[in-house]
Amino acid sequence: MKRQFDENHARFLNLDEDRMLKVFRQVAGLPATGGDMGGWYDLTGFSLEQGDFHGFIAGHSFGQYVSGLARAYAVTGQKKLEQRSTALLRDTARHSIQGPNSSSTTGFLLHL
């Protein structure tokens, strides 16, 4: 069990933040570096009208990731986990309110 936790913990800390935040930056009209993650992070797809449930529900995956960081922090108390989750959430909130397309984005705002 500890080995599994340690492996998951290492994955949490090694995911590329630019890749995780790229689609949020793109939607907000901000510069977006990093590679495409594909799948649920794909900007195309997810159309209720066309029955395409392929892509762009990145918020779901992102929320699961941040939740994992928070849980790992609660167990270990490692500040780098807290710092990473806080930085990701602040960056996401910035996209929601500062991008040129911010009036057209939907979602929620975070007050950190």
Side-chain angles (χ1 to χ4, degrees):
M1 189 81 135
K2 172 137 174 41
R3 183 180 61 80
Q4 182 182 12
F5 176 84
D6 290 342
E7 287 175 8
N8 284 332
H9 181 97
R11 282 192 186 98
F12 286 149
L13 291 175
N14 288 315
L15 287 175
D16 184 343
E17 290 181 23
D18 283 330
R19 289 184 73 202
M20 299 230 22
L21 295 170
K22 182 176 182 176
V23 294
F24 300 107
R25 292 171 178 160
Q26 287 173 319
V27 169
L30 297 169
T33 59
D36 291 327
M37 290 186 71
W40 285 355
Y41 267 76
D42 192 346
L43 277 175
T44 62
F46 199 74
S47 168
L48 293 175
E49 296 81 23
Q50 298 176 12
D52 182 359
F53 304 105
H54 166 253
F56 204 60
I57 53 171
H60 173 78
S61 300
F62 181 78
Q64 293 292 329
Y65 174 65
V66 172
S67 177
L69 286 173
R71 290 171 191 241
Y73 171 67
V75 171
T76 66
Q78 290 185 353
K79 282 298 211 185
K80 61 185 171 183
L81 292 164
E82 178 187 35
Q83 291 165 347
R84 184 168 182 138
S85 61
T86 300
L88 286 167
L89 291 172
R90 283 193 173 139
D91 198 75
T92 305
R94 182 178 61 83
H95 303 150
S96 297
I97 59 177
Q98 292 182 355
N101 300 333
S102 61
S103 63
S104 65
T105 60
T106 59
F108 57 92
L109 298 178
L110 303 166
H111 300 281
L112 299 173

